[in-house]
Structure formats: C-alpha cells, structure tokens
Amino acid sequence: MQTLGEFIIEQQKDHQDASGELSKLLSSIKLATKIVNREVSKAGLVDILGGVGGENIQGEEQQKLDVFANKHFIKALQARGVVCGIASEENEDFIDCNTEDSKQAKYVVSMDPLDGSSNIDVNVSIGTIFSIYKRITPVGSPVELKDFLQKGIHQVAAGYVLYGASSMLVYSTGNGVNGFTFDPSIGTVYLSHPNIKTPEKGKIYSINEGNFNSFEQPIKSYIDYCKQEDKSSLRPYSARYIGSLVADFHRNLIKGGVYLYPSTSKAPNGKLRLLYECNPLAFLVEQAGGMATNGKERILEIQPTELHQRVPFVIGSKKMVEKVSAMH
Ligand code: P6P
C-alpha cells in the first residue's frame, strides 16, 4: 500500500514540480489534515462542539472546529514557506504570508477549512476544500487580490478532505484524481482509490428540494425529470442530500450522480462560493471525467470578481450535468 508521502514524491518526478515546492505544499496540507481529523474524530468528547459565539464573514455562526481548522491550515501552510498568500472562507480578506521564506513562494491557496460545519454537532461528515494557483504577481512582491481571482482553469492543484466514517484526502495536480484513506491506528494515509473516474451517468440527484418553489423553471423541470418513471434511463432517480457538500460530492463522484445548488430567493447567486468550493470541485470532477457548470456555462471558465462570490452550481456525472444545461 503506497502512502501519501511516497505518492507525492513519485508525482513530483512526473509533474513539472522540479523545485518540489508543490510537494512540500501538499505535505503541509497532509499535516494540517491529520491535526483537524484528530479533533473532528473526538469532537463529541472534548469541549470543542458548539458555536464559538462569533460569526464568520458569511454571517454564519462560527463553530469552534471552524476556528480550529482555519488556524491549523493557515499555520501549516505558512510554516513551510511554500505559500505566499491564503484566502479562507473564515477570513474577510486574504492573508499575505509576508515571512522571508513565504515572500519567495510561488503558490497561493484558497480554502474552505471546514465546510458543512452546521453538521458538526450532529456527527454528520464534514469537509475541507482547497484550491492551489501559481501567483501572477512578481515573486517577492506583496500578494494582490488578482493572485486569487484567477479562472478555475488555471488551478495547479485542488482537493478535499472528507472527515467521515473513515477520513479521506482526495486531490489532483492535473494528472487524474487519487483518493487516500487515513489509518488512524498508525496515523498514516494510504492510496486507497487510485485514478478515480466518475460514472458518465448515475441515478442520484442531490438538491435541497425545500427550496423548490423558488427555483427557476429549468431546475424545476429537471427535478420533475428525475422523478419520472423511465426504466431505460434508470428513472426515477434516488434523492440523496446530506447537506454537507463534500459528503454529497464524494458519494456522487464514486457512484455517479448530480449535485445542484441553484439560485434561490434567499441566495439569488446560489449559496456556494466560486473560489474555494466550486472551482476546486469542478477541477476534480473534470479530471475524473465529469462536468461542472453554473447551470449554463463551465465553472472553470468563470472570471472571478470577488473573493467570496457565490455562483449557482451543478456538478457530477457528465450526461446528467448536460441534461440540466439542456433544460436551460
Ligand atoms: P442548505 C453547508 O453549509 C453548505 O455550504 C454545503 O456544505 C451544503 O451542501 C449546503 O451548504 C447546504 O445548504 O441550504 O441546503 O442547507
């Protein structure tokens, strides 16, 4: 069984990561993932549950694990001097890692350190999502917003951690998608899902149908399509919605299916954020043979304009995402 560390080194040879900086970056993510995984797995035992009282910039109550995860991912990323800037769902503005080492670093990271945090207290799987770019401003100069506002097609790497029944790290550096599973007994992470490919068609659709009345007509039509009886196209599909993006995405990636978070009356631009939720998952799903749109256009082609901007999101099996686009 190959460990994540061995895999990263092997990939470095195949990848144009001659300097090894990307390998060091991925190793720092591995370290932070282990630290957060340890806390998440015992969240019910120690007093780390429940709101920390504050609110994050999204106006959502900050759970203690949110704060803990944000702190440790930032610390791990800054420690090795391989990242010059960090954008996080938990921070209003990006962080310029202006230590001597970091100033020479060529990568910036956007992340959602702990997505689905409202599920923490009820022991439902939650996740971390990250997206890695090369900076576009000169190495050694202060990091600028434009370093983060790059189209998703320019991502160097992206991935997620799923803190679930068993915890997994799934990522891609542009050469396919690989999944690694934690062995908590010895704290090692093993390659368990090499070269993940998502089925072209599936029979699972994931959407919060509580918002049905405020969906636009094409989305309503697609939901009705999912419910119609038609054996030849595996319908009716099964409705599966955990309410935790990483958990819903991971299940659909492996089994086939489509996840939708379209615009609603409460969230006219959708709820999910382009930079550190939609772009990284879109990068992964395309690497796995799937597709991701805002209902009409490819997520990875959208030009970001703000750090925390939201976009409508449709992601999963290629044929299913195409069907949603055809409904528009
Ligand atoms: P709703 C969790 O807050 C999250 O960002 C995603 O993880 C999840 O898929 C979605 O929101 C759930 O949102 O509005 O259906 O509760």
Side-chain angles (χ1 to χ4, degrees), residues 31-43:
L31 171 64
T33 300
K34 287 183 175 181
I35 293 169
V36 173
N37 183 54
R38 183 191 60 205
E39 291 307 312
V40 168
S41 59
K42 62 182 184 185

Side-chain angles (χ1 to χ4, degrees), residues 103-115:
K103 269 204 173 98
Q104 300 310 316
K106 61 187 177 200
Y107 294 110
V108 296
V109 175
S110 292
M111 67 175 179
D112 187 351
L114 207 59
D115 178 78

